[in-house]
């Protein structure tokens, strides 16, 4: 057989990758032995049979790529050609405001919208706990999609799918918030292993270890990714941080002194914004720490 074909990468490991070939068939491909670009989940690739082995010929031009810092802070590509980053949060495990701001910085640097899915709404049928309500309010104020529901009962899942119609969406967030459960809810034909802990042994927690793309017939593609505790942003710049904190930036514009450190200075716009409630002390604190983290990138 000959004639290269185009396919989308659904999974990529160190030495091979899996592509969605014609009619939804999955094909395990070898990576080219050259110094080409390594394919990641979501990449479009050209592949062909070489000496009887499915082989990637080349990775097509990427629209964008999500990179996160590895353990040394070096950027590592995680997924490509993304339309939406959907941060999944839940009452349990409790949300981490700094982590959500990290994703906002990353999304802004990529120019991709950040959405919020508040999962496990069945745990609080009447009102979301304050920590979630704050996050939702902050997210709305900054301009992002906010949906709540339950992957377990299916509540809100169809509405979410409609809002994300035709897009490639990566699900991110802490371990145990329900990313794989939501993937399963959005694509019922799947049989994903979800993180239920076996009652008998306390073993067998199916925490996701690989980033994987699942496509629906209607064009919605969901990338399920392993849960994270944090997200390194060393490879980004302080400007990328500022973009994710528009209310801080607005406030600093009102400081009397150009070199104001927003500490004890008189007529500080940041203090005024906190007093009037336009800026929260928590967001200011996170802006400071993320800025410090990205200073090295200058
Ligand atoms: N009550 C409730 N539990 C849920 C819901 N969604 C998921 N869970 C449970 O939460 C646990 C973790 O779900 P997963 O889907 O594995 O979570 P995950 O985000 O994929 O976790 P990692 O793969 O480790 O990152 C499982 O026991 C699920 O059954 C929900 O909407 N309501
Ligand atoms: Mg998972
Ligand atoms: Zn100031």
């Amino acid at each position: 057989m000959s004639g290269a074909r185009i396919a989308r990468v659904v999974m990529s490991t160190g030495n091979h990758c899996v592509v969605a070939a014609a009619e939804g068939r999955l094909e395990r491909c070898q990576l080219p032995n050259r110094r080409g670009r390594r394919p990641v989940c979501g990449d479009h690739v050209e592949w062909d049979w070489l000496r009887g082995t499915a082989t990637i010929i080349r990775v097509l031009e990427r629209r964008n790529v999500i990179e996160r810092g590895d353990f040394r802070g070096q950027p590592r590509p995680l997924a490509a050609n993304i339309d939406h980053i959907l941060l999944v949060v839940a009452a349990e495990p409790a949300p981490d405001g700094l982590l959500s701001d990290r994703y906002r910085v990353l999304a802004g640097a990529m120019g991709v919208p950040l959405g919020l899915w508040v999962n496990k709404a069945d745990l609080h049928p009447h009102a979301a706990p304050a920590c979630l309500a704050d996050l939702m309010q902050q997210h709305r104020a900054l301009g992002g999609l906010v949906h709540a529901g339950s992957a377990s009962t299916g509540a809100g899942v169809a509405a979410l799918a409609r809002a994300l119609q035709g897009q490639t969406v990566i699900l991110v967030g802490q371990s145990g918030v329900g990313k794989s459960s939501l993937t399963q809810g959005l694509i019922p034909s799947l049989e994903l292993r979800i993180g239920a802990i076996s009652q008998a042994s306390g073993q067998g927690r199916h925490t996701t270890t690989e980033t994987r793309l699942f496509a629906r017939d209607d064009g919605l593609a969901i990338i399920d990714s392993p849960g994270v505790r944090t997200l390194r942003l060393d490879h980004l710049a302080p400007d990328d941080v500022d973009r994710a904190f528009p209310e801080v930036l607005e406030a600093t514009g009102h400081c009397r002194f150009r070199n104001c450190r927003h500490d004890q200075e008189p007529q500080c716009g940041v203090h005024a914004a906190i007093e009037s409630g336009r800026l929260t002390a928590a967001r200011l604190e996170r802006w400071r720490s993320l800025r410090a983290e990205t200073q090295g990138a200058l």
Side-chain angles (χ1 to χ4, degrees), residues 179-181 193 206-208 224-227:
K179 297 177 295 299
S180 298
S181 305
R193 289 150 68 84
H206 301 311
T207 187
T208 306
D224 186 19
S225 74

Side-chain angles (χ1 to χ4, degrees), residues 110-127:
M110 287 178 66
V112 169
L114 179 73
L116 189 69
W117 167 254
V118 180
N119 195 34
K120 307 195 188 184
D122 55 297
L123 297 181
H124 40 83
H126 302 299

Side-chain angles (χ1 to χ4, degrees), residues 14 25 30 75-76 86 95 131 192 218 224 234 261 270 291:
R25 205 163 31 86
Q30 248 175 25
R76 242 186 84 178
L86 190 66
C131 58
L192 272 187
D218 67 359
D224 186 19
D234 318 38
R261 302 170 62 94
V270 168
R291 260 200 148 241

